[in-house]
Amino acid sequence: MSALLDVRDLKTWLDSSGGTVRAIDGVSLEVARGETFAIVGESGCGKSMTALSVLRLLPEAGQVVGGSVLLGGEDLLCLPESAMRGVRGRRIAMIFQEPATSLNPVLTVGMQIAEVLQRHTALRGEAAKQRMLELLDAVGIPDSARRLEEYSFQLSGGLKQRVMIAVALAAEPDLLIADEPTTALDVTIQAQVLDLLSALQRENGMAILLITHDLGVVAQMAHKVAVMYAGQIIETATREQFFRAPLHPYSRKLFQALPGSASRGGELAVIPGQVPPLTTRFAGCRFAERCDAAWERCRSEVPALIATASGHQVRCHLYDEDEAARRGTVEMPAPRTSPGQATPAHAGAAALLAVRELKVHFPIRKGLFKRTVGQVKAVDGMSFELAAGMTLALVGESGCGKTTAGKAILQLIRPSSGSVQFEAQELTRLRGQALRRRRADFQLIFQDPYASLNPRMRVADILVEGVRALGAADTGAEREARMDRMLAQVGLNADAKLRYPHEFSGGQRQRIAIARALAVNPKLIVCDEPTSALDVSVQAQILNLLGQLQRDLGLAYLFITHNIAVVEHLAHRVAVMYLGRIVERGSVDEVLRAPRHPYTQALLSAVPALDQAGGRKIIRLAGELPSPANPPQGCHFHPRCPQAMPECKVRYPDSVTLSGGQEVSCLLYSAP
């Protein structure tokens, strides 16, 4: 295969108040026609900046100061801006990470696709409309004629991403740059989008430059893999080479930091420290300060990119000929073995939290007088129990009601009906001061620490706010001591309380959010996707912290997530939600190893696996998640279920307890 994209010694610098940021510092890569080239690494290492440099879409403060970007032999860096407008969209297209901000909210779907066709093709009128319909059909959007007239805010997250793909593919580009194309998607929609990209690549011979931090997606999609760190590529290999035996110490750490069943009951490997600031003039290896294998040479001499006999390339002194002769073969660390899931001392205790037939319905009001014309049944009859010291994972697609349920349990949203008992006390009946006094026993960790921490308040004020409000400490000295203790528990220094949230990394901000939750000595914490916005290495730190706090303090967690690997690592029990109801629940081993409900089976089949040997069979779900304002009659899942029976359309199935305690709501099963 000939190289379609050939990047050589690319250097991109940005001016900042702290000095020159060397965001890309000598990156070289080749992408062949029909090939998927994946770039992986932590946030801030330069992945997205590489893509923007190729397209010459840099911020005002940035400029390419060296290197070349050859597309089909033509250097894009030498083209005038007027010529680059013909390259963008026609020869190179890009799918951005967040479709909600990339699509124009005041233009219809059809108008946004038409812009590309008018700029880069000769299609007009009816021919252009037919092309638009073909594109929407190709990306799997149902009822394409109607969708052309809709706006982006009328579409689900999965449909928005498909529209982005349709816009990117409209002019049949030679190269597609996909920057975290599935980060915001559920695993079921992610599987459909990835399969769509693979199918279009096979049909059109399109090359893909894939930017992601999800190694499961890389294992499924990539032909070649490059690992970036601090503005440089430090390892390049074929997919098979990379997943069989990663060479660079940083790459190995990324694998060891991945959660899963093998790490249950133990701790994940972490990478100490952070990516160094790119204003630094490096004298040696950029990973040296975080590397377990570093020695004097690593800090004084910049390593070259060394090619092994198999073509595997690595930027590390461990692999040059002189060092290899002196040290012998570089051994891979032994693979982690499962220590088994330790059963908490509290596992046999009475339920700390008991939820019975919880419902949260929001009224739909229309007309001048805002009369109620319907109900959005966000949570529609949820029941479960959670003991002290245990973790219950709540999983399901976006829009199924997970977050609403968590807020309703904590009485941040008042339930429409049902019972929520905490230590045998009915929370739904508490009002005013009685509820306020109880709030110290249960806290919430939000998904996004950027949004949940007040940027105008110092960490000390953020931590003490809840302590004062709930009367958890009486004197200033007690509050000060409590703050220091909470920061120490989450691995931060006491001087952190004098700083503002923007002065911390994403992982540190999430630690502050956890410290805020711990400040009032809770017994239950609802964790709403607390690691979804974090890199693999930072995620490992937070998961280790949550596990240690549970062991030390006997905390119970209601863990809301769509990351099945995190569930395998941290949870003891799991409940699967679909359209406001729990359809299956049981121990992690029961539900994840032997799922019974057709929805659970489809959900788990769509999770990307690092081991792609023999492939995997993905269960396709028809259509989109129905609206909770108008759920289907009978079993809510039957319109999408591959095993649906006529009776499924008539009545909602009761919960059936199977052998071992696993519970499932499906007419395929009857009580033993």
Side-chain angles (χ1 to χ4, degrees):
M1 292 185 290
S2 60
L4 171 67
L5 177 69
D6 187 358
V7 178
R8 284 283 167 259
D9 199 27
L10 182 66
K11 295 181 180 180
T12 300
W13 294 1
L14 295 91
D15 294 327
S16 74
S17 58
T20 300
V21 178
R22 295 168 178 81
I24 306 297
D25 198 8
V27 164
S28 298
L29 59 89
E30 292 185 1
V31 186
R33 296 182 184 276
E35 178 181 76
T36 298
F37 189 101
I39 303 178
V40 301
E42 291 175 280
S43 297
C45 68
K47 304 187 302 295
S48 295
M49 191 59 66
T50 299
L52 295 176
S53 298
V54 169
L55 281 168
R56 288 174 51 186
L57 290 175
L58 295 172
E60 187 175 347
Q63 60 176 327
V64 176
V65 298
S68 61
V69 178
L70 302 179
L71 180 68
E74 183 178 27
D75 193 345
L76 300 184
L77 301 182
C78 297
L79 295 180
E81 177 58 27
S82 58
M84 278 302 299
R85 296 192 194 107
V87 173
R88 302 186 194 110
R90 175 63 190 91
R91 299 178 65 190
I92 305 178
M94 186 164 180
I95 302 172
F96 294 92
Q97 181 171 351
E98 181 47 70
T101 56
S102 302
L103 294 172
N104 193 326
V106 300
L107 298 180
T108 65
V109 169
M111 293 169 69
Q112 295 186 66
I113 301 175
E115 279 186 329
V116 180
L117 295 178
Q118 290 169 5
R119 180 68 179 83
H120 298 294
T121 74
L123 296 176
R124 300 291 185 273
E126 188 62 29
K129 184 175 181 179
Q130 287 302 314
R131 174 61 178 159
M132 287 187 275
L133 293 173
E134 289 173 6
L135 286 166
L136 294 188
D137 289 338
V139 298
I141 295 180
D143 197 2
S144 54
R146 178 171 63 89
R147 299 293 187 185
L148 280 179
E149 305 303 320
E150 292 185 342
Y151 294 87
S152 59
F153 62 81
Q154 297 175 274
L155 307 178
S156 68
L159 288 178
K160 285 191 187 80
Q161 194 65 290
R162 291 169 188 234
V163 169
M164 277 289 297
I165 295 172
V167 172
L169 299 176
E172 299 183 343
D174 299 320
L175 172 66
L176 176 67
I177 299 176
D179 187 1
E180 299 279 9
T182 61
T183 295
L185 303 181
D186 297 305
V187 290
T188 50
I189 304 300
Q190 172 180 270
Q192 296 172 21
V193 169
L194 294 180
D195 282 356
L196 168 65
L197 292 178
S198 296
L200 293 172
Q201 184 179 50
R202 288 191 299 270
E203 293 171 9
N204 305 328
M206 177 178 64
I208 298 177
L209 181 62
L210 175 66
I211 297 169
T212 183
H213 66 268
D214 190 330
L215 292 177
V217 171
V218 174
Q220 179 181 339
M221 292 286 293
H223 299 98
K224 289 183 180 177
V225 184
V227 181
M228 281 198 77
Y229 185 80
Q232 287 187 330
I233 288 179
I234 59 172
E235 184 168 359
T236 306
T238 65
R239 176 182 60 192
E240 292 76 14
Q241 290 171 333
F242 183 69
F243 284 93
R244 182 175 63 249
L247 298 182
H248 199 282
Y250 174 65
S251 305
R252 298 179 187 179
K253 283 283 191 180
L254 288 180
F255 277 95
Q256 293 168 10
L258 291 174
S261 58
S263 61
R264 288 175 62 191
E267 291 202 341
L268 298 165
V270 299
I271 307 175
Q274 303 173 44
V275 177
L278 297 182
T279 52
T280 307
R281 287 189 175 274
F282 297 98
C285 174
R286 302 181 180 205
F287 187 60
E289 297 305 318
R290 307 173 72 189
C291 182
D292 298 334
W295 75 100
E296 295 79 7
R297 183 182 178 189
C298 300
R299 295 176 177 84
S300 60
E301 182 182 338
V302 176
L305 195 61
I306 300 165
T308 67
S310 62
H312 199 147
Q313 294 182 310
V314 59
R315 192 183 297 276
C316 181
H317 289 310
L318 289 171
Y319 297 92
D320 69 27
E321 293 182 2
D322 295 339
E323 195 61 39
R326 188 172 71 84
R327 291 182 171 239
T329 305
V330 180
E331 296 290 339
M332 278 289 291
R336 288 176 299 166
T337 57
S338 175
Q341 178 65 40
T343 302
H346 307 268
L352 176 72
L353 176 70
V355 178
R356 294 284 179 271
E357 289 299 317
L358 181 69
K359 294 184 179 181
V360 182
H361 295 177
F362 299 104
I364 301 172
R365 294 188 174 95
K366 290 186 177 181
L368 180 64
F369 298 102
K370 301 297 181 182
R371 292 189 174 92
T372 300
V373 297
Q375 298 282 337
V376 175
K377 299 177 180 179
V379 182
D380 196 25
M382 167 189 280
S383 300
F384 65 84
E385 292 185 353
L386 177 59
M390 300 289 282
T391 299
L392 173 68
L394 197 58
V395 302
E397 292 176 282
S398 297
C400 70
K402 304 187 298 295
T403 297
T404 302
K407 291 180 178 179
I409 288 167
L410 301 185
Q411 305 305 299
L412 298 175
I413 297 174
R414 283 295 184 176
S416 305
S417 64
S419 168
V420 180
Q421 292 191 353
F422 186 85
E423 293 183 325
Q425 183 177 27
E426 182 59 54
L427 297 184
T428 59
R429 297 174 188 163
L430 296 183
R431 295 291 187 275
Q433 287 299 321
L435 178 59
R436 180 177 293 235
R437 285 193 298 271
R438 223 4 169 163
R439 285 202 187 278
D441 290 328
F442 38 82
Q443 290 291 298
L444 176 64
I445 300 172
F446 293 93
Q447 177 174 355
D448 186 1
Y450 292 85
S452 63
L453 299 176
N454 191 326
R456 298 183 182 88
M457 295 172 67
R458 295 181 188 270
V459 170
D461 300 322
I462 291 171
L463 295 181
V464 81
E465 186 177 34
V467 174
R468 278 205 195 102
L470 300 179
D474 295 328
T475 68
E478 287 178 348
R479 288 194 291 267
E480 195 78 11
R482 184 184 292 265
M483 278 191 289
D484 291 346
R485 187 170 66 253
M486 292 304 103
L487 289 172
Q489 278 187 317
V490 299
L492 294 174
N493 296 325
D495 61 2
K497 63 188 176 186
L498 304 177
R499 296 157 62 189
Y500 290 93
H502 74 268
E503 298 180 73
F504 297 90
S505 68
Q508 288 172 324
R509 273 190 282 263
Q510 197 61 289
R511 287 170 182 264
I512 294 168
I514 294 172
R516 177 176 60 182
L518 292 174
V520 292
N521 295 328
K523 299 174 183 176
L524 166 70
I525 298 181
V526 175
C527 305
D528 188 5
E529 298 273 14
T531 63
S532 66
L534 305 179
D535 291 310
V536 170
S537 56
V538 180
Q539 174 183 262
Q541 297 173 19
I542 298 301
L543 292 177
N544 286 346
L545 173 62
L546 291 173
Q548 187 62 49
L549 292 171
Q550 185 173 64
R551 290 188 291 272
D552 293 346
L553 306 176
L555 295 172
Y557 295 136
L558 177 62
F559 204 94
I560 297 168
T561 184
H562 66 269
N563 190 327
I564 302 300
V566 170
V567 174
E568 287 187 296
H569 171 75
L570 191 68
H572 303 99
R573 296 183 63 78
V574 59
V576 182
M577 278 192 77
Y578 186 81
L579 214 61
R581 300 189 182 188
I582 291 176
V583 297
E584 185 168 1
R585 64 179 171 218
S587 70
V588 169
D589 283 333
E590 289 170 342
V591 175
L592 300 189
R593 300 289 170 268
R596 300 299 186 91
H597 198 282
Y599 174 65
T600 310
Q601 294 169 355
L603 195 68
L604 297 180
S605 76
V607 177
L610 295 185
D611 182 8
Q612 296 291 322
R616 63 191 175 112
K617 181 181 179 182
I618 300 175
I619 300 173
R620 307 292 177 195
L621 295 181
E624 298 287 320
L625 187 73
S627 169
N630 186 29
Q633 293 294 318
C635 174
H636 293 346
F637 186 59
H638 84 261
R640 306 174 72 193
C641 181
Q643 303 180 56
M645 303 177 292
E647 189 180 359
C648 299
K649 302 178 182 179
V650 178
R651 68 181 180 90
Y652 195 91
D654 296 325
S655 179
V656 176
T657 302
L658 307 175
S659 58
Q662 189 172 356
E663 298 177 50
V664 61
S665 297
C666 181
L667 295 177
L668 293 171
Y669 303 94
S670 58

